[in-house]
Amino acid sequence: MFGLAISKLSDGGIVSINVSSFGPKDPVLTSIARSLQAALAQADASNTNAKLPPILMLNVRGDHNVVLVGRKRAAVSSPQRLLAELRANPAETTPY
């Protein structure tokens, strides 16, 4: 499902998905997060221990939405560090 999008990313590239949900245990949200994790793990040939990469789940304040954030062949940092990194490298940010 997410393989094509991830294949377009450079190493360290970020993929984010906005999901409407009824909380962090919503089965739709957790299924989408697991699918994203599996696609990121498959894109990382060096991931030989079958450990799924971490996914950030960012709640959208005052809404039912959650933004899932993952990185290709790189760890996802805290929301604050991720935002600082994006602000420091704006030329490397390419929306699709």
Side-chain angles (χ1 to χ4, degrees), residues 4-42:
L4 180 60
I6 292 168
S7 73
K8 305 287 183 187
L9 296 174
S10 302
D11 287 353
I14 298 169
V15 60
S16 62
I17 303 159
N18 185 51
V19 181
S20 181
S21 72
F22 294 105
K25 295 184 181 190
D26 183 317
V28 172
L29 176 64
T30 57
S31 293
I32 293 171
R34 281 195 302 268
S35 294
L36 179 58
Q37 283 181 307
L40 287 165
Q42 187 174 17

Side-chain angles (χ1 to χ4, degrees), residues 68-79:
L68 302 175
V69 181
R71 296 186 84 170
K72 182 177 181 180
R73 297 188 185 125
V76 179
S77 55
S78 70

Side-chain angles (χ1 to χ4, degrees), residues 36-54:
L36 179 58
Q37 283 181 307
L40 287 165
Q42 187 174 17
D44 187 355
S46 68
N47 185 2
T48 58
N49 62 4
K51 183 178 177 185
L52 293 176

Side-chain angles (χ1 to χ4, degrees), residues 21 58-66:
S21 72
L58 307 172
N59 292 314
V60 177
R61 201 176 332 182
D63 201 351
H64 290 285
N65 291 348
V66 174

